[in-house]
Amino acid sequence: PNRELNATIYRLNRLETTVTRPFFLEVLRIHAEEKITYEELTEIFRITENYLFRRTMCELPTNALNKIFLMLHREVTRYDGTDADYVNKLKYAILSKKDRVRFPDDEEFAQAFSNRPVYLMNSKNKTYILERIENYGTLEDKDVYRHLDDETYTIEHIMPQNLTPAWTKSLGEDVYEQIHETWLHRIANLTLTAYNARYSNNTFHEKKTMKNGFIESGIKMNMYIAQYDKWTLEELETRDQYLTNRALEIWSSPKTEYKPAVRDLDFYTLDDDADLSGRQIAKFYFKNIEQPVESWIDMYERVLRILHTEDKSILSQLAYAPEDADLASYFSNDMLSLRSSLEIEDGLYAERGTSTSMKISVLRRLFKLYGEDAADLVFYLKEEDADAVRADEAARHTLRRKYWRHALPVIQEVHEGGAFSNVNPTKDNWIAGFFGVYGASLVCVANYDEARVELQFYNSDSVRNKELFDKVFLHKAEIENALGAKLEWDRGDEKKSSKIFVSLKNISVSSESDWPNMARFHAEWTRKFHDVIVPYLKNA
């Protein structure tokens, strides 16, 4: 009986969000038990929709979502052991998530929504975006999904993909290439029409005034566009700001004042690409059993023993394998051959003197050998001192934002806008510039011990990332020769993303005297990557 709920469920099904179903089944159950109202049920679906879409726009990894939604209902009810005040507890649970399972805040989402080449996203996502922009907040909605399905509607580039001399002149002889490369596929330059073939590469004035042009269109997006007399950088930036503000309203972030008496523990899975160094583990969950532990070494030993109980041949083979075999250096039949050993069983030892990140890396590789799903091993982390964490985080955010205010003009100048146009100072230790290849970006990283420039491949499809990386890797020698430097090539076989990067050591974002050198490094090397590597990627 609820129109808004039905529409939300329809959209989620169109997005093929099957990962949410275990959670939604629990929510529908407590609704059937009359513990939540239709209005609350609708809000739960909308919060979930916004969480998923913000993550999609910010290109956050999807591999952790299975575990998130399997455990989300349990997480919500564990705060006080009841289903009461369910919506507020859900808001708190989602907003509390960190790192790669986070709910992107307004700043991160707005920047991604503005900069993302929406036209190059997969069909279901760009259809979803345009439908929401067109129909949000009105009962006089258009059947955008049906019209796109039957090809009555198509997606129109206002500034066309192939510029005519008239378009070149209207954009500006000196800047048209930069404007075209930067803005062509962004949401600010896209709309819907049933007359795409008629619009073709016509000038903006012709698209606006022709029969069935923007002036005569019944599509709200086109009515907005029709108010302009020209379509240049100024209009693109104005519409970009309008649509970004509208996106923040459509896909709003939940707000709540709820705080549990006892905060639930942060958790990550073995499948998450997260740096857990410096964090303390409280317990782990594997094979349907939750086990408290004293340390990462304790967890490592217990998981190794669980795996070895399942199949004794794998670790035994590694213990007798040649030293250069993968993982062989971490296992032995001779405890004296290891720096610091732990005994798995009589005559079988594992190296314990490794970092947390190395233990996790070894477990990931072992899980592949055992045929186990890495997402099934869950780490629960001890709660840190909240006040100290918040104070430290606020200081870091202030410092980084101040650095990016210093560095961005330097970076944007060498790119003449280009890849980093419309990028704003951020609280994060990285910023990303886009150059028109879906799932790839130039990334500047400012750390406390180094600066990095990266070319990242981060499609939701891991196979696609490896394909792009491999095609560029074929030209490794000529790329490094052209750059006059050796690069780091990280295919990321244990992760979804891949990257190519160069680092500047012994420099820190915490030292303002280092900022000129750091900014110059970010500017020069992003330009070099753009000029030397990106052409191979575009040809790939």
Side-chain angles (χ1 to χ4, degrees), residues 70 112 136 202 218 225 236 393:
L70 276 172
Y136 177 79
N202 283 316
I225 294 164
L236 284 163
E393 192 174 74

Side-chain angles (χ1 to χ4, degrees), residues 352-525:
R352 60 178 281 166
T354 58
S355 66
T356 299
S357 60
M358 182 53 67
K359 288 181 177 69
I360 290 172
S361 175
V362 171
L363 286 176
R364 284 192 186 119
R365 285 179 277 172
L366 283 176
F367 267 52
K368 289 182 179 179
L369 293 177
Y370 278 91
E372 296 283 356
D373 185 349
D376 289 339
L377 175 57
V378 184
F379 308 123
Y380 291 88
L381 306 183
K382 291 182 180 178
E383 186 175 359
E384 298 172 305
D385 185 312
D387 291 337
V389 169
R390 278 195 294 270
D392 180 60
E393 192 174 74
R396 285 187 283 112
H397 290 175
T398 300
L399 179 69
R400 289 168 180 166
R401 201 184 301 275
K402 190 175 178 182
Y403 168 70
W404 293 123
R405 286 196 190 102
H406 168 85
L408 265 171
V410 181
I411 298 167
Q412 290 169 336
E413 182 179 3
V414 302
H415 287 272
E416 300 173 338
F420 289 88
S421 63
N422 282 347
V423 176
N424 296 310
T426 173
K427 67 180 185 300
D428 297 313
N429 71 327
W430 60 273
I431 56 169
F434 301 92
F435 46 82
V437 176
Y438 176 63
S441 67
L442 291 167
V443 178
C444 299
V445 180
N447 284 335
Y448 282 83
D449 58 353
E450 67 170 1
R452 283 200 314 276
V453 167
E454 303 175 351
L455 176 57
Q456 288 192 2
F457 310 110
Y458 50 88
N459 289 276
S460 58
D461 180 3
S462 175
V463 174
R464 174 62 175 162
N465 294 331
K466 308 314 171 196
E467 287 175 350
L468 289 174
F469 178 92
D470 290 343
K471 287 178 180 178
V472 178
F473 187 77
L474 290 174
H475 305 280
K476 177 177 183 290
E478 53 200 281
I479 287 171
E480 292 185 340
N481 184 56
L483 291 172
K486 295 289 185 183
L487 305 180
E488 296 290 336
W489 300 75
D490 181 5
R491 193 171 188 270
D493 291 328
E494 299 173 7
K495 301 178 288 188
K496 181 165 289 187
S497 62
S498 304
K499 63 184 177 183
I500 304 162
F501 64 95
V502 62
S503 302
L504 178 64
K505 303 291 186 181
N506 301 317
I507 198 166
S508 176
V509 71
S510 65
S511 172
E512 291 196 30
S513 62
D514 285 344
W515 287 4
N517 288 338
M518 188 177 276
R520 188 160 52 249
F521 170 79
H522 282 143
E524 291 176 356
W525 277 95

